[in-house]
Each structure stands twice: as structure tokens, then as C-alpha cells.
Amino acid sequence: KKKLKISGRELASVPEQVFGLDQLQVLEMSPERESCLMYRMELLPREISRLKNLTLLYMDSNNLKKIPAEIGTLRHLERLTLSNNHLSSLPPEMGALQRLRSLHLANNSLTELPAPLCQLRSLTFLDVSDNKIGTIPSSIRHLEKLETLLLLFNSLESLPEDVCLLRNLHTLWLGNNHLRSLPASFGELVNLDWGYNYCSCNFEGNPLESPPPAVCSRGPGEIRKYFLSFHRA
């Protein structure tokens, strides 16, 4: 059996028999979004390392407080969902998940973007919305394949210039932070094209002054012009 979904209102642990399914590729232990349920699992057992062939692991809406270091042994993992838990940190071993393309961490208790994430060179989707993240490390520039970055409802007061090196970004949501300004090179993110997709970038709920919201709403071209004229002045 290569796909397994475990469900139940009282789900609090992973049945031991699961770790004997060494050919398992998809393991889902998240309630359906429409159900508004929360499971009660507090711990992902270290035995998860026995599932060497896992490509998809869904652990949303549990009660997880910690992820074991053994997660780093799942070298085939491509998608990991950990949203709606109680995580305040991630193990450095996560940096070994070099096939990981999609990582969901929304609505946890993270206060910073963990350094191991910036080692995930294959990552194309990263959602860290609704945490308490206050800074973005400059090492984020290493995520050169990143296409979607969701940072809504955090505590960001500034963005590093390194974010502007993520030239493959198509979606960047920055709403409801504390941003007063954008980096001068922000307009170089030309794939954030408001003309084709208004939702490709979101600034709502920030006290932006430079550029002002009216300029931001017109897209990267106008943002680039704004900084050029500001520099000349």
C-alpha cells in the first residue's frame, strides 16, 4: 500500500503498524479543511525515519510542538504540510530535504524564518503566514527556485534586499505586517505582474510610506520608476 490516510476526531498518535509500511509514499494525518476539526497529535515519532519512500506527508491541524531530527532522513519528501500546529522551531536536519518543493507552516508560533529552510534549493512554495516572524534572513537568496512566498500576518518591519534576488517569484503576499518601506530593488521582481494577476502581490495592512500604496498597486514597473526618480532627486 503506497497511500494511507489516518483520520479520527481523537487521533493522538501514529499507530505502530504504520512504520512497517516501508513502501508507503503518501501519509495523511490531517482533518479535512471543511470539517473545522483539530486532531490531538503532539508528537511525530522518530520512527518516521523508517518510511524512507515518503514523498508526501500531511500533518496540518494537529497539536504538534516539535518535529524530530529524523525528519531529515526522508530524502524523497517533496511536500510537507505542518500548518495549524504549535511549532516554535524546526530541526536543522530539515536542511537535508533537498527534494522538498512545497512547505506549509502557516499558523504556528515561529518567531523567525529557520535557517535550514534557506538550504532547500528545490523549494517552490513556502507558506509561513500567521506566525510571529520579525526578520527574514539574507540567506533566503539561496531559494532561487521559489515561486510562491506567503508571509501574511507576521511582524515584519523590513524586507532584506536579498528577497529581490528571488527572480522566479510569481506570488508574494506581505499583507498585515509592519512594513513602512520596500527595498529599492523591489521593482526587479518582474514576474509579480499586477497587470495579469492582481493577487500576485499583497501589501494590505502595512503602513507603507516608500513607495506609497498608490504606487505599489500599479505594479513593479511603477515601483521601479518611483525609486529611480527618488534616487535622482
Side-chain angles (χ1 to χ4, degrees):
K1 194 169 184 177
K2 295 188 176 182
K3 182 177 181 180
L4 178 64
K5 179 178 175 62
I6 303 174
S7 60
R9 187 182 298 269
E10 299 302 316
L11 182 63
S13 62
V14 185
E16 289 186 13
Q17 300 93 319
V18 171
F19 302 118
L21 303 174
D22 56 5
Q23 297 303 308
L24 198 63
Q25 294 179 351
V26 181
L27 178 56
E28 186 171 351
M29 294 180 285
S30 301
E32 300 293 339
R33 290 186 179 182
E34 296 79 8
S35 69
C36 298
L37 290 177
M38 293 288 290
Y39 290 167
R40 298 188 299 113
M41 197 179 310
E42 295 187 4
L43 178 67
L44 181 62
R46 293 178 176 178
E47 287 81 3
I48 194 70
S49 63
R50 291 162 60 182
L51 303 179
K52 301 290 187 185
N53 290 298
L54 272 187
T55 59
L56 308 178
L57 178 58
Y58 299 90
M59 297 285 296
D60 291 316
S61 301
N62 276 279
N63 194 28
L64 295 173
K65 298 178 174 65
K66 186 178 180 180
I67 300 298
E70 286 74 10
I71 194 76
T73 65
L74 304 180
R75 301 300 174 89
H76 293 283
L77 205 60
E78 296 177 5
R79 183 181 178 93
L80 176 60
T81 69
L82 297 167
S83 296
N84 304 318
N85 280 286
H86 299 282
L87 299 171
S88 58
S89 63
L90 297 174
E93 288 79 5
M94 278 192 66
L97 301 177
Q98 289 302 312
R99 294 192 183 184
L100 197 66
R101 300 180 69 248
S102 180
L103 179 58
H104 299 238
L105 292 165
N107 194 24
N108 275 283
S109 300
L110 299 171
T111 57
E112 60 183 3
L113 195 62
L117 301 192
C118 298
Q119 302 171 26
L120 303 176
R121 303 299 176 85
S122 295
L123 206 62
T124 63
F125 182 99
L126 176 59
D127 183 2
V128 287
S129 302
D130 206 2
N131 280 278
K132 299 177 182 177
I133 294 172
T135 58
I136 302 295
S138 61
S139 54
I140 196 171
R141 66 183 182 276
H142 297 309
L143 300 180
E144 54 193 30
K145 294 184 179 180
L146 200 63
E147 296 178 1
T148 300
L149 177 57
L150 307 183
L151 291 160
L152 294 85
F153 292 97
N154 277 292
S155 301
L156 295 172
E157 295 185 356
S158 64
L159 285 178
E161 289 277 350
D162 300 84
V163 169
C164 304
L165 297 176
L166 303 176
R167 300 297 167 81
N168 285 311
L169 274 182
H170 289 272
T171 304
L172 176 60
W173 289 2
L174 297 164
N176 294 91
N177 279 281
H178 307 304
L179 297 172
R180 293 189 176 276
S181 64
L182 299 177
S185 55
F186 191 90
E188 301 303 318
L189 295 174
V190 294
N191 285 318
L192 298 176
D193 194 336
W194 285 252
Y196 292 98
N197 183 1
Y198 179 75
C199 293
S200 67
C201 201
N202 178 298
F203 297 107
E204 294 179 3
N206 284 286
L208 275 174
E209 298 173 356
S210 176
V215 172
C216 291
S217 66
R218 295 198 292 269
E222 292 300 315
I223 292 174
R224 191 160 51 247
K225 288 179 184 177
Y226 172 86
F227 282 116
L228 283 173
S229 62
F230 187 84
H231 181 71
R232 287 168 185 161

